[in-house]
Structures are given as structure tokens and as C-alpha cells.
Amino acid sequence: MVVQVEYALEAVRKGSLAIGVRGTDCVVLAVEKKAVAKLQVSQTVRKIARIDDHICLAFAGLTADARVLINRARTEAQSHRLTLDEPASVEYMTKYIAGVQQKYTQSGGVRPFGISMLIVGFDQEGKPALYQTDPSGTYSAWKANAIGRNSKSVREYMEKNYKETSGNDTVKLALKALTEVVEGSTSNIEVAVIEAGCGPRFLTDEELTRGVSSVGRLGNDRRRIVKHRQRCAAMNDDRIPIVNKELPTQGDAMVAGVDPIDYINQQLQDILKPPDTEDYLAEFLAIQNEHPKNIGFFGTRNMGFMHQQLIEVLSYAMVLTGNHIFTSGATGTNAAVIRGALRAENPDLLTVVLPQSFSCQPQESQELLQNVQNIIEMPENDDISLMEASRICNRDIISRVQQIICFAFHDSNLLLETCREAHAETKIVTLFYLD
């Protein structure tokens, strides 16, 4: 059972990031939202849930497991009201949820819940409270905490910058911590504010945009993108076009009624063909004939398993054919690129440029990077935000390559900015949209 608890903790570490910050008059929950399918209703995918009028929670891990725990917690909260004629305290509900989680670590025929929760609210004295539970059934109170992917980096940031705040300052601290590792976009972030005597209030897109801009993230990104669009408009875009393609999925193969592997391989070959323009084809072939060929890979951290497999195959093939791969050390796209390049067993053709020093990287990234021979660190960026450090890192990679391949969503602001900068520097840019 101990091993199963470790598996459950691993599910939490791979889950979407969730942050809780306790202020003097409110508690803020900020979560990373995963990209949804085009036809999916985004409002049905929630990482923040209300347990009672005064209690709310966010979770990281297996969503189905969270739904079961949330329903049981809601039932217990209403039962407490009916029995004692008073609302349950935040600590009581935390003990109840932790008790259920602990029970499933010692019972036969069941497995532990692959979920960790941040439970917030106000006690009967009107004081804000923030608790965390984990799959083992332990719980503890916090001033600020993070769970899920990249939680260690966020927790370290909050340890350095946390102080007792109130109102909007608490929201700003949560947004600053979240945008350390998540792109500042309204489609990537969800924030709920819980105040005394009020239920959770979710920030609107307009409020999120103003909040992220106020902490110096989204506003700068948009100004740079506008600047690059103006600069690129003056160039001959036919000479260096950006290729926009959508990657095939397993669902596409099922709809087509063919073997998924064969279908995806065929679609990938079609995607990687350059557009039918003589100028682009000539320039593409010129780069392919140069030795060595330097290609930079960029991409989002939020990527499904199937897309990661495709990128591993692409990176593997690039190294086998003699290309020198440059990428960064983050999870998601970059990790897939590194794994694929390492499979080719030619360590000289893989260089990883880190936005900060090695010690600042997440633990899972450090374990993978131990197998990489060529690593360039930027310790001078340790004191700035990860977003700004990543921007500097991306520019450094652009300066080292002739072509970049990028995997992004339509609202991946930093990645789109990187593509524009590479475009402006007359690099060949191949951009794959994941949504």
C-alpha cells in the first residue's frame, strides 16, 4: 500500500498547478487551467469547487478522484448543518476529507485517492484559513502553498515574497506566483476569492487581464507582440512564411477507422512537408544541406501524452539525420525533445539552454537533465521571474539556430512572441497549433 501512495503522490505532482494564499481578510485560490477541445464547454472543467457557503477547495491530481471526494465532502457539510444547526468549520471539513483519504490507504480492494487538495474558508471567528491534504491522509495549515506541477518552484517563490496582505494585494501575490510558471492568459488561469460572509467569487476575464497586467506579465507580452507584428508587416512575408499546422490525434484515427499508429505517422509526414512555395522550399532545402544543421525546439508545458510521443519521434529522427537540437529544460515539449534526442545516442547533437541555474529547475527536469552532456545555465537570471528568464533563454536559442519548430496554443503569448522574433531574424519558423 505504501507503493500505491507513492503512485498517488506522483499523480499529484503531474497534475495542474493550484495555489492558495491566505490574506488578512480573504483567501485566494489560483489554478492553472488545461486547454480544452474546440467544441468542449470550458465552464464544465473546473479545478475550484465549493463545498459549503463558506468553504472552497482546489485540487491537483486525478479529476475523477476529486469529484468523488468533493461529493462526499458536500454531503458531510450538509449533514453537519442538519445535525448541529451550524456550519462545519474549515478544519472539520479538512479532517473529514483527510480521514477519507487515509481510509483508502489501508483498506483491501481499493487504492489511494490520487489527489491533493487546498481547502480554504473562514472559521466561526471570522478568520481566514488554508489547509492542505495529500493522498496519505495527512493535513496541515498553511499561510500559502502550492500543489501540482512546478509546485516546488512556486513554493520557493512564495517563501521569498510572502507577507501578510489584504484584498487585492493578496490576489496580486497569487497571480505573481502562478505566472512564474504559467503563461499569463485568461484561458490558462482561474482565480477565486473567498471573503468573510461571502461565497467564492470567480474573477472575470476582464479582472484577470487587469490583474495579470498589473503584475507585469501579460501587458508586456502583448506590447511586444504588437511591436513584432508591425515590424514583420514591413518584411516580405512570402520569403519566410510561418507554417501553421494542427497535429493529428488518436481520436482522428478512430474517426477515420484506421490503425492509430499508421494514421499518425502518415499525417505527421504530411504535416512536415514544407508549403508549396519555391522560395520557402529553396531556403528549407538549403538549411537541410548545411552541416551542422541547428534546429531549435520550443513548446508549451501543457501537452498530452500522444503529442509528446510525436515530438519524441520527431526529435529522434532529427538527431539521426545529423541535426543539432537546441531546446530548454522545462517539462512538456522540451522534455519530449530531450528524451527523443537521447534515444539517438549522439549526445554531441543535443544542447539544452536553461533559463536559470540548474538548481532552479523542477526535480523531474533535473533527473532528466542528468543524462544531457551539453547544458548551458543562466544563473544571472535566478533573481528574475521565470517568465522573463524564459524570454531571455528563447532569444539565446534563436541566436544559435537556423530554424525553429514550435508547438503552441493560439493564446501561448510567449511562444508566439518567440516565433515572431525568429521570423524577424530571418529564421525558418514552423509553428504547430495544438488547439
Side-chain angles (χ1 to χ4, degrees):
M1 190 61 72
V2 174
V3 175
Q4 290 186 343
V5 172
E6 289 297 325
Y7 287 150
L9 289 170
E10 185 63 24
V12 172
R13 285 191 286 266
K14 293 182 179 296
S16 299
L17 179 65
I19 296 172
V21 180
R22 189 187 75 189
T24 57
D25 59 354
C26 67
V27 191
V28 178
L29 289 174
V31 299
E32 171 190 8
K33 289 198 303 184
K34 288 187 176 180
V36 298
K38 287 183 178 180
L39 301 181
Q40 187 176 9
V41 180
S42 60
Q43 288 79 3
T44 61
V45 183
R46 290 278 190 179
K47 304 292 288 186
I48 301 176
R50 176 187 293 190
I51 299 301
D52 204 345
D53 291 339
H54 63 299
I55 300 177
C56 194
L57 64 80
F59 63 87
L62 303 179
T63 303
D65 288 10
R67 185 179 66 249
V68 172
L69 276 177
I70 289 170
N71 288 338
R72 294 185 65 166
R74 286 170 172 168
T75 301
E76 178 63 22
Q78 296 308 308
S79 175
H80 190 282
R81 279 183 179 270
L82 289 173
T83 304
L84 302 179
D85 197 27
E86 65 179 21
S89 66
V90 182
E91 184 177 9
Y92 175 86
M93 291 308 306
T94 302
K95 286 182 179 179
Y96 174 79
I97 293 173
V100 174
Q101 289 180 292
Q102 196 279 331
K103 181 180 178 181
Y104 276 73
T105 66
Q106 61 180 10
S107 303
V110 297
R111 63 166 177 81
F113 287 93
I115 204 78
S116 185
M117 290 185 168
L118 295 175
I119 305 168
V120 302
F122 282 79
D123 57 26
Q124 294 179 349
E125 290 77 24
K127 295 182 179 180
L130 167 63
Y131 290 88
Q132 185 226 333
T133 69
D134 65 29
S136 68
T138 60
Y139 73 92
S140 54
W142 293 78
K143 296 178 181 178
N145 197 12
I147 54 177
R149 185 170 48 245
N150 296 319
S151 58
K152 181 180 178 181
S153 300
V154 174
R155 197 177 298 116
E156 290 174 351
Y157 173 84
M158 291 193 293
E159 287 174 355
K160 296 178 182 178
N161 296 277
Y162 177 82
K163 58 182 179 180
E164 291 287 346
T165 56
S166 62
N168 195 46
D169 290 335
T170 308
V171 177
K172 286 184 178 180
L173 177 59
L175 285 173
K176 284 182 180 179
L178 189 62
T179 52
E180 279 289 302
V181 295
V182 177
E183 290 187 28
S185 168
T186 56
S187 61
N188 296 338
I189 295 174
E190 185 175 35
V191 177
V193 181
I194 301 91
E195 298 175 323
C198 305
R201 179 178 66 86
F202 290 88
L203 299 190
T204 64
D205 288 349
E206 292 75 14
E207 290 175 314
L208 280 176
T209 300
R210 289 197 302 269
V212 175
S213 299
S214 68
V215 298
R217 301 287 194 266
L218 182 62
N220 291 335
D221 287 351
R222 286 182 171 171
R223 283 192 292 272
R224 288 187 175 93
I225 290 175
V226 170
K227 180 179 178 181
H228 286 301
R229 283 176 177 169
Q230 293 172 344
R231 188 167 65 179
C232 292
M235 299 177 61
N236 182 1
D237 288 342
D238 292 334
R239 183 168 56 87
I240 312 169
I242 295 180
V243 183
N244 300 324
K245 297 288 185 180
E246 293 186 0
L247 291 177
T249 66
Q250 193 171 9
D252 297 332
M254 296 174 64
V255 172
V258 297
D259 180 74
I261 300 299
D262 293 340
Y263 176 83
I264 290 173
N265 286 337
Q266 181 60 47
Q267 292 297 313
L268 186 59
Q269 291 176 11
D270 294 339
I271 285 175
L272 294 178
K273 291 179 181 178
D276 189 19
T277 61
E278 294 183 1
D279 291 340
Y280 182 83
L281 182 59
E283 194 159 356
F284 181 82
L285 292 176
I287 288 181
Q288 296 301 314
N289 291 329
E290 291 177 0
H291 298 281
K293 300 171 284 292
N294 296 339
I295 300 178
F297 276 83
F298 302 91
T300 178
R301 295 180 176 87
N302 304 321
M303 178 173 290
F305 175 76
M306 183 63 69
H307 288 156
Q308 290 190 42
Q309 292 292 99
L310 289 172
I311 293 174
E312 282 191 37
V313 172
L314 178 60
S315 174
Y316 174 71
M318 288 290 187
V319 174
L320 282 183
T321 53
N323 296 287
H324 191 141
I325 301 300
F326 289 80
T327 191
S328 187
T331 56
T333 299
N334 295 330
V337 171
I338 295 172
R339 289 194 297 268
L342 291 175
R343 284 173 51 197
E345 298 182 351
N346 194 339
D348 292 335
L349 294 182
L350 171 64
T351 298
V352 177
V353 182
L354 301 179
Q356 296 171 324
S357 60
F358 183 87
S359 60
C360 293
Q361 307 309 306
Q363 184 61 37
E364 57 183 311
S365 296
Q366 292 186 23
E367 293 174 0
L368 179 61
L369 291 171
Q370 289 176 355
N371 302 311
V372 178
Q373 178 175 298
N374 303 320
I375 297 179
I376 300 174
E377 300 180 57
M378 295 184 176
E380 65 275 13
N381 296 336
D382 288 354
D383 294 331
I384 64 177
S385 71
L386 180 58
M387 187 69 69
E388 291 300 323
S390 298
R391 181 175 285 109
I392 296 172
C393 175
N394 291 354
R395 290 169 180 164
D396 181 84
I397 294 176
I398 290 174
S399 69
R400 300 172 183 269
V401 302
Q402 296 100 357
Q403 177 183 4
I404 75 166
I405 300 175
C406 183
F407 301 85
F409 297 101
H410 282 82
D411 58 0
S412 299
N413 296 320
L414 179 57
L415 293 174
L416 296 181
E417 175 186 332
T418 299
C419 291
R420 295 293 179 185
E421 289 187 354
H423 188 182
E425 294 185 17
T426 67
K427 314 286 185 177
I428 290 183
V429 178
T430 305
L431 175 57
F432 295 100
Y433 280 123
L434 301 174
D435 57 353

